[in-house]
Amino acid sequence: MLPPASVRTDRKAEPRLMPDPNTTQPSSASPTGLASAPAPESTPAPATLNPASVPVTRLQIWLHRLLVLLFVFVCAAAGVLLVILPWTPQWTDNFLLLRYPTLRTLMTHGFFRGFCSGLGLLDIWIGFSEAIHYHEDKLP
């Protein structure tokens, strides 16, 4: 049989949220039994590790601009394809769907076509919203 928790000496002291009913509480304990917040460290972090203090180079700015432009272009192109393609004959006369008549029936259903077009409009909106809300003061 193991000794009670207050007598054990083989384990390190563990922080507890609730007081142990078998031990006596010191007078400095909080009335709710919760541990107090740890004291903040007195040593500040070095300035070299702070990303806000590192200057952004011109190359990083142009790479970020190029990435945003590429993102907008991909969103717009995929969105236009998703809006137009479900309503063309290539959508239903696809040779990949000839082996699966059930899937072809689903793909030709108006709800599914409308759903794909709605995703295309959402994709276009996300791309242009990213372009409109682009700010260089929020660079990574």
Side-chain angles (χ1 to χ4, degrees), residues 84-104:
I84 296 173
L85 191 63
W87 306 103
T88 62
Q90 289 85 8
W91 185 261
T92 55
D93 297 337
N94 190 347
F95 71 94
L96 296 174
L97 294 176
L98 293 177
R99 299 178 98 186
Y100 308 103
T102 308
L103 185 60
R104 186 174 181 189

Side-chain angles (χ1 to χ4, degrees), residues 105-117:
T105 305
L106 174 72
M107 298 278 284
T108 58
H109 197 270
F111 176 79
F112 189 77
R113 289 180 176 193
F115 181 75
C116 290
S117 294

Side-chain angles (χ1 to χ4, degrees), residues 1-71:
M1 185 166 130
L2 293 174
S6 62
V7 179
R8 286 186 200 163
T9 57
D10 59 338
R11 292 174 46 187
K12 294 181 180 178
E14 298 175 359
R16 297 177 182 249
L17 293 178
M18 298 300 293
D20 189 6
N22 297 331
T23 60
T24 59
Q25 295 292 322
S27 61
S28 65
S30 63
T32 61
L34 297 176
S36 62
E41 294 183 17
S42 61
T43 58
T48 59
L49 297 178
N50 189 0
S53 66
V54 179
V56 179
T57 63
R58 292 185 71 184
L59 178 65
Q60 289 174 332
I61 292 172
W62 278 103
L63 286 176
H64 189 257
R65 288 176 185 167
L66 185 64
L67 182 68
V68 170
L69 181 67
L70 182 66
F71 179 76

Side-chain angles (χ1 to χ4, degrees), residues 74-86 120-121 123-124:
V74 168
C75 284
V80 168
L81 278 176
L82 281 172
V83 168
I84 296 173
L85 191 63
L121 289 174
D123 201 18
I124 292 170

